Amino acid sequence: MNKRTHLYQAIRVAIGCSLVSGSVYAQEVPRPAEEAVEEVVVTGTHIKGLDTEGAVQVVQIGRDEIEASGATSPIEILQELTQTGGGNGTFSTTTAGPLSSNTPVGAAGVSLRGLGASATLVLVNGRRVSVSSFAKGQESFVDVNSIPLSAIERVEVLPSGAAATYGADAVAGVVNFVLRDDFEGSEITLSHGNSTASSDEGKYNLNWVWGHKGERSHTMLVADFFTRNALYDRDRDITANSIRPSQQGVYPSFNDLFAMYYDQTEAPVNGGCPEDQFGFGSFGEYCEFNTNAYVATQDEYESGSLVGTFNYQLTDDVEWFNTAMVQMNQSRGTGSPANFSRAPFDPESPLWPEELKADIVEEGSFSPDFPTTDFSDFYGYPIFAWGKFPDPRAVEVENQSMRLVSGLRGDLNGWDWEVAANVGRSESEQRGISGLYNSEAFYNAALGNLCTDGTVVNRWDVDLVRPGASFSGETCEANGKTTAWYNPFDGQAEQLDVVNDYVRTDAMREGVSSLYAIDGNLSGSWIELPAGAVQVAVGAEFRRETVEDTPSGDAVSTTLNPEPILGFSSTSADAERDQWAVYMEQMIPVAANTELQLAVRYDYYDSFGGDTNPKVALRHAFNDAIIFRSNWSTSFRAPSLAQVGAGTLLSSYTVDCSVTPGACDGLADESGESLLSEEVSNDDLKPETATTWGAGFLLKPTADTELTIDYWNIEHENLVGVEEDDFILRALNGEYPVVGEGELPTGQPGLEVANGFVVDSHFELTNLGWQKTSGVDMAFTQYFDTDNWGSFRFVLDGTYLSEFDKLPSDTFGIISEAGQYTYPRWLAKTSLRWRYEDWSAQLGARYTHSYMDDPSPRVLEAVGLPDDAAVEVDSWTVFDLSLSRDFNNGSYASLRVNNLLDEEPPLVLGTGANVDHFNHSSMGRFVTLRYSYAF
């Protein structure tokens, strides 16, 4: 077993999870009576030594529970908390992809109460971390995957507003990762996990921890190496096939939009589209495509991390402390192949199949005004194609992050003080490795403008705004060269090398973010009252944050080229700002069993000014068995750097006709257009604000029984973001320009409409209305000790979502999300843990309640349901089992089986993957073996 100091044992007992919130992560190690407990600072306050059964709910996860969980990354630990579930806030690499609306490949962010990752403040050892250099859309967040799990001693979660203590971004709460710093000896750990499915989703982790305690110093190093294979939708039955496959496939549909009425596609009888994929719809023939065959549910990922701490006791009262973290990771995200729509092709290309030419001529022959009799009738005019490229959109991201903290702390006449400098930096580089096609190059190759030597002639003038072309007549052959044609036929499998090299791009993207901060605080006792001394903490901090996200030049949209890379979105940001703050906290012993906590903080930002946030909290112990606690505070979130410095972001959105029938020619039962839209910056953004309050009881009816019940309520206003449906309604009501197709300049908010349907939208970042969420956290812990069978602990945790209401604007009305799509009302977790001598085992269960689905009319039609059908997503229960043993020779072994019964997640029609990856998992049974050896 690894060597641990008395300080470690004391802290582990003093901040045991069951004493704080009754969480599933309770600790069971007894503390010898003679052992002194060193005062520690619990998340939620800057005052040392406050009762861990405090006035504000805190959930803590200790090192033993981290090891027993089988987790290989911090996000896996956090996703099991009921406070992080629901909505679409907490995200991991299961929602990553190449588009800007996806999670950045390889990254993960945590969200408390479903309010979004940008509303949850992430700290390491109580201090801020630089944000990810790539944002999620235009939402900045801290990538928790950049913190190696092997370096974490415990995780403290404060699931309520904490701006009075920590400043901006703590609207929903705080997640604080406390690093290991007292380890002595050396320990090597190797773990391997994989699913029991036939596919290979293997995870491998090797880490080494070394610690040495000198006469006046302590040094620790952690080296961590991790690799993980990808999981694809095609690898699981429930996600393998799209409920409604795309009607744009690798065998495109063709139409000249003049003589032809119905689209024509290479038919199965002629060796074209496979029989089971060939169909006829409202626009004519199509060859459907199963996008789920390509999409990665979980990224391929590998990382290497190094963490070092060095503490030196300069004098009996002054300590110099240092922490350094460095991580490098590489990940790969894969999405579905990109569509091309209304792509112009030259009818004089020699590649046209004779059978398809005949079908096109036959279709054109029915034209009442210009019937066709020969394929040459189409010469001089483009024939348009709707299809999908043959290879998936895939990107590879390399990230390097570092963090350095150095400071002094000590004691001065009974007062604790601390000052420190904090530097952080994150650098990322993303490059496309397949499926990214330059639109202008693609159209040139489709129209015969490309020659085999890579030069371009003006055979056709290309219109990139509303894809089209007009014939000019210059040819490669007239210049003594040969035309290099893009081949859209036979599944697009055969292309000339010069064509492939010309039309494809890697769309290199680079990002850098940095944090520079200095802080200091002083805490101690200053006034004696009859019930005890008033504890106080005062402090100040200054920080500078920067972010620069630079897309590839050929990915930046312009008015003349709004979609430079087909089906691929770019984002950009360039911002920096300075901020300073001062704060004060007091714990006032009003009576022998009553404590009042008061806190206030003032933050000043050079970009928008200052904001003051107070907090009031009360704790009253009626007796040893009943403790009441309550709190009230205000919070704020400054617009993130990605929002303040936002450029034009290319995104995607599908119009919901049932919500905005005016965008669908007044037809609420139609399926809206799929838009490759823009998100446009706004220089007038204001900070978000929030008011949080809560109350609860901590009950201990016996020495072995603990029960906590906490009510929470958060009102969040002036939300920064884009509410697409609301924007469309406001634009249709005259607040933004509504113009014809291709007439809206890049960077200008508004709508483009054709034939009554919105075909393009430039959404503007704005301060929206409000959202309000409330609910109850409950936790029950029961301990059992036996004489001959060891000790047992039973835990039941649950979160009930009472309401989650949103008002994007008065135009849109209140939306009640609780119990609706991706917002289950109940999340629960239970476990029974057994310990006997060197053995321990745990059987646990995780429960996600049912909620209403949100399928589109076309999906309902595909599954044979009426348009107004109400579909409910089934509840889901998963069992986990673990077994471990400590050996006398210093080694430790564990076996962990997640989803023991291999329970398939419920079918969700509102997602393209058929599974809600925010609340469920398609991984299936997953077995992890872990072995440690300490010496």
Side-chain angles (χ1 to χ4, degrees):
M1 188 69 181
N2 55 329
K3 303 173 184 177
R4 289 163 172 162
T5 65
H6 292 314
L7 173 60
Y8 169 86
Q9 299 286 357
I11 293 177
R12 187 166 65 175
V13 175
I15 62 174
C17 180
S18 62
L19 297 180
V20 179
S21 67
S23 164
V24 298
Y25 298 101
Q27 310 254 353
E28 299 182 59
V29 180
R31 174 173 54 85
E34 70 275 7
E35 201 170 281
V37 178
E38 179 172 315
E39 291 184 340
V40 297
V41 178
V42 178
T43 299
T45 179
H46 290 290
I47 301 174
K48 278 189 175 182
L50 291 190
D51 196 322
T52 53
E53 298 175 344
V56 180
Q57 178 191 9
V58 180
V59 178
Q60 303 193 22
I61 309 166
R63 182 70 203 168
D64 284 354
E65 294 298 332
I66 292 174
E67 292 175 350
S69 70
T72 52
S73 65
I75 195 64
E76 294 178 36
I77 292 289
L78 294 168
Q79 283 178 315
E80 292 194 1
L81 295 176
T82 57
Q83 291 86 357
T84 64
N88 56 7
T90 296
F91 56 84
S92 68
T93 55
T94 58
T95 57
L99 302 181
S100 61
S101 56
N102 299 136
T103 303
V105 172
V110 59
S111 164
L112 294 170
R113 308 302 190 196
L115 295 179
S118 62
T120 298
L121 178 62
V122 175
L123 307 173
V124 173
N125 285 348
R127 289 182 168 86
R128 290 180 179 256
V129 185
S130 58
V131 298
S132 169
S133 48
F134 288 163
K136 180 179 183 287
Q138 290 177 332
E139 180 183 23
S140 295
F141 67 97
V142 171
D143 178 14
V144 297
N145 275 352
S146 65
I147 307 166
L149 192 63
S150 57
I152 298 173
E153 177 64 31
R154 65 183 184 273
V155 183
E156 301 176 343
V157 179
L158 175 66
S160 61
T165 305
Y166 298 109
D169 306 330
V171 171
V174 178
V175 175
N176 183 27
F177 296 96
V178 181
L179 302 182
R180 304 168 76 174
D181 67 352
D182 60 353
F183 183 88
E184 288 187 60
S186 191
E187 181 182 74
I188 295 178
T189 302
L190 175 66
S191 68
H192 168 60
N194 208 336
S195 72
T196 56
S198 58
S199 51
D200 182 7
E201 290 84 37
K203 297 181 181 181
Y204 305 85
N205 184 219
L206 172 65
N207 63 72
W208 170 64
V209 183
W210 173 83
H212 173 72
K213 185 175 183 180
E215 183 178 350
R216 303 183 68 86
S217 66
H218 182 273
T219 307
M220 190 191 72
L221 292 175
V222 178
D224 187 281
F225 303 93
F226 175 72
T227 183
R228 178 189 65 202
N229 295 333
L231 167 66
Y232 292 90
D233 283 352
R234 61 176 178 262
D235 294 330
R236 298 294 181 268
D237 290 341
I238 193 170
T239 56
N241 296 291
S242 303
I243 296 295
R244 184 185 179 276
S246 171
Q247 293 184 3
Q248 289 182 243
V250 294
Y251 291 88
S253 301
F254 295 94
N255 197 311
D256 76 329
L257 300 180
F258 185 70
M260 299 171 64
Y261 186 78
Y262 287 118
D263 296 348
Q264 296 297 305
T265 301
E266 290 178 85
V269 69
N270 299 319
C273 177
E275 184 73 40
D276 61 345
Q277 299 171 21
F278 187 74
F280 190 93
S282 56
F283 295 105
E285 296 176 352
Y286 62 85
C287 186
E288 68 181 22
F289 189 88
N290 177 27
T291 57
N292 290 23
Y294 293 85
V295 177
T297 313
Q298 174 178 272
D299 301 338
E300 179 181 333
Y301 180 86
E302 60 182 33
S303 67
S305 307
L306 184 64
V307 178
T309 66
F310 176 72
N311 296 351
Y312 188 82
Q313 200 73 34
L314 298 174
T315 69
D316 291 342
D317 297 324
V318 179
E319 181 185 32
W320 178 36
F321 62 92
N322 301 271
T323 302
M325 297 175 58
V326 178
Q327 189 199 57
M328 295 179 287
N329 65 63
Q330 185 178 77
S331 53
R332 178 176 295 187
T334 306
S336 62
N339 290 341
F340 52 85
S341 301
R342 195 187 157 91
F345 280 83
D346 190 336
E348 295 189 61
S349 166
L351 304 178
W352 285 90
E354 291 299 325
E355 298 83 355
L356 180 58
K357 289 165 63 175
D359 291 342
I360 290 175
V361 171
E362 181 181 3
E363 176 61 31
S365 68
F366 296 107
S367 172
D369 300 318
F370 299 96
T372 57
T373 60
D374 187 82
F375 197 67
S376 61
D377 294 339
F378 294 94
Y379 290 179
Y381 303 95
I383 295 179
F384 299 95
W386 287 258
K388 199 178 298 289
F389 292 110
D391 49 336
R393 286 167 290 184
V395 297
E396 189 173 74
V397 174
E398 294 182 357
N399 174 264
Q400 300 86 39
S401 61
M402 61 78 65
R403 183 174 190 262
L404 177 62
V405 176
S406 183
L408 299 172
R409 59 190 167 209
D411 176 86
L412 181 63
N413 296 326
W415 286 73
D416 294 306
W417 60 269
E418 183 172 309
V419 294
N422 177 11
V423 178
R425 185 176 177 88
S426 173
E427 298 182 6
S428 299
E429 181 180 274
Q430 173 183 291
R431 58 183 177 276
I433 55 178
S434 73
L436 306 186
Y437 290 79
N438 182 287
S439 59
E440 184 174 11
F442 172 62
Y443 298 150
N444 280 333
L447 292 165
N449 288 349
L450 175 65
C451 303
T452 52
D453 64 352
T455 60
V456 175
V457 298
N458 190 31
R459 180 182 177 89
W460 295 78
D461 287 324
V462 180
D463 181 0
L464 299 174
V465 177
R466 187 172 185 263
S470 57
F471 189 69
S472 294
E474 183 183 359
T475 65
C476 295
E477 285 70 17
N479 293 304
K481 304 175 183 179
T482 303
T483 302
W485 298 93
Y486 185 89
N487 183 6
F489 311 110
D490 301 321
Q492 307 173 64
E494 297 295 331
Q495 304 293 342
L496 296 174
D497 289 341
V498 65
V499 173
N500 269 328
D501 293 342
Y502 180 66
V503 301
R504 296 172 184 268
T505 177
D506 64 2
M508 183 72 74
R509 174 189 176 192
E510 297 179 335
V512 178
S513 66
S514 63
L515 168 71
Y516 305 92
I518 299 174
D519 66 84
N521 65 72
L522 180 70
S523 65
S525 304
W526 70 317
I527 297 177
E528 285 290 338
L529 298 179
V534 175
Q535 304 292 315
V536 65
V538 295
E541 69 176 65
F542 170 84
R543 70 176 184 271
R544 166 170 289 184
E545 296 174 287
T546 69
V547 67
E548 186 176 357
D549 186 350
T550 307
S552 170
D554 62 359
V556 178
S557 63
T558 65
T559 301
L560 297 179
N561 189 2
E563 190 181 359
I565 299 176
L566 293 167
F568 183 76
S569 51
S570 68
T571 182
S572 64
D574 186 2
E576 66 176 39
R577 66 182 173 205
D578 294 338
Q579 180 268 342
W580 59 266
V582 292
Y583 58 86
M584 182 180 71
E585 298 179 49
Q586 291 189 82
M587 190 284 290
I588 304 172
V590 178
N593 296 317
T594 305
E595 297 175 354
L596 178 66
Q597 292 185 27
L598 302 175
V600 63
R601 177 176 173 126
Y602 176 78
D603 288 84
Y604 181 84
Y605 284 77
D606 61 1
S607 55
F608 67 84
D611 193 78
T612 301
N613 289 275
K615 181 185 83 170
V616 180
L618 178 69
R619 176 187 181 277
H620 176 71
F622 292 95
N623 50 50
D624 291 340
I626 303 175
I627 298 174
F628 171 77
R629 61 188 179 191
S630 62
N631 64 88
W632 174 92
S633 65
T634 66
S635 302
F636 80 106
R637 187 187 78 85
S640 68
L641 290 173
Q643 293 167 338
V644 171
T648 296
L649 180 150
L650 296 185
S651 187
S652 59
Y653 180 71
T654 300
V655 175
D656 188 342
C657 297
S658 64
V659 178
T660 56
C664 306
D665 202 24
L667 304 173
D669 57 351
E670 272 288 340
S671 292
E673 295 288 326
S674 295
L675 314 178
L676 188 70
S677 54
E678 294 183 5
E679 291 184 10
V680 181
S681 62
N682 185 346
D683 294 334
D684 297 322
L685 293 176
K686 297 178 176 60
E688 300 174 358
T689 59
T691 301
T692 302
W693 68 275
F697 286 91
L698 293 85
L699 308 176
K700 294 185 178 181
T702 71
D704 296 325
T705 305
E706 300 170 359
L707 174 65
T708 67
I709 303 174
D710 287 283
Y711 172 81
W712 45 270
N713 185 296
I714 303 174
E715 296 185 19
H716 193 186
E717 299 179 338
N718 286 331
L719 306 179
V720 176
V722 170
E723 185 68 46
E724 292 88 352
D725 293 331
D726 175 66
F727 180 88
I728 291 173
L729 285 173
R730 290 163 59 196
L732 293 174
N733 287 334
E735 292 188 37
Y736 296 97
V738 178
V739 298
E741 186 174 4
E743 297 178 5
L744 191 64
T746 294
Q748 179 179 337
L751 302 179
E752 293 183 1
V753 176
N755 300 320
F757 284 77
V758 171
V759 295
D760 194 10
S761 180
H762 297 181
F763 302 111
E764 184 181 46
L765 275 174
T766 57
N767 285 101
L768 305 171
W770 52 261
Q771 60 185 6
K772 178 180 179 180
T773 181
S774 63
V776 178
D777 292 331
M778 292 163 281
F780 172 77
T781 304
Q782 179 68 52
Y783 298 93
F784 306 90
D785 290 320
T786 66
D787 294 332
N788 300 316
W789 295 94
S791 61
F792 296 84
R793 183 198 68 193
F794 174 75
V795 171
L796 174 62
D797 269 12
T799 293
Y800 176 72
L801 181 64
S802 175
E803 66 176 338
F804 200 116
D805 293 344
K806 294 194 289 189
L807 180 69
S809 74
D810 294 334
T811 304
F812 205 60
I814 296 176
I815 304 170
S816 296
E817 299 281 18
Q820 300 302 309
Y821 183 60
T822 73
Y823 288 86
R825 284 192 181 273
W826 274 106
L827 294 170
K829 182 174 180 178
T830 186
S831 66
L832 177 64
R833 187 164 187 175
W834 165 77
R835 290 181 184 269
Y836 180 70
E837 295 182 348
D838 296 331
W839 290 89
S840 66
Q842 180 171 296
L843 176 65
R846 292 171 281 136
Y847 173 78
T848 303
H849 197 54
S850 61
Y851 55 85
M852 298 308 298
D853 207 340
D854 187 28
S856 69
R858 288 182 179 177
V859 170
L860 288 172
E861 181 184 2
V863 297
L865 293 175
D867 290 349
D868 58 350
V871 182
E872 186 176 50
V873 176
D874 292 337
S875 62
W876 193 49
T877 303
V878 176
F879 292 91
D880 306 316
L881 178 67
S882 64
L883 177 68
S884 63
R885 184 185 178 186
D886 266 328
F887 297 92
N888 293 328
N889 62 356
S891 59
Y892 170 87
S894 68
L895 170 69
R896 171 84 177 189
V897 183
N898 286 339
N899 196 351
L900 179 66
L901 303 181
D902 202 18
E903 186 71 22
E904 190 175 70
L907 177 67
V908 181
L909 300 178
T911 71
N914 310 333
V915 169
D916 172 8
H917 288 304
F918 288 107
N919 292 297
H920 309 128
S921 170
S922 60
M923 179 61 76
R925 185 188 296 116
F926 197 91
V927 181
T928 301
L929 288 169
R930 177 188 177 95
Y931 177 78
S932 297
Y933 181 70
F935 53 96

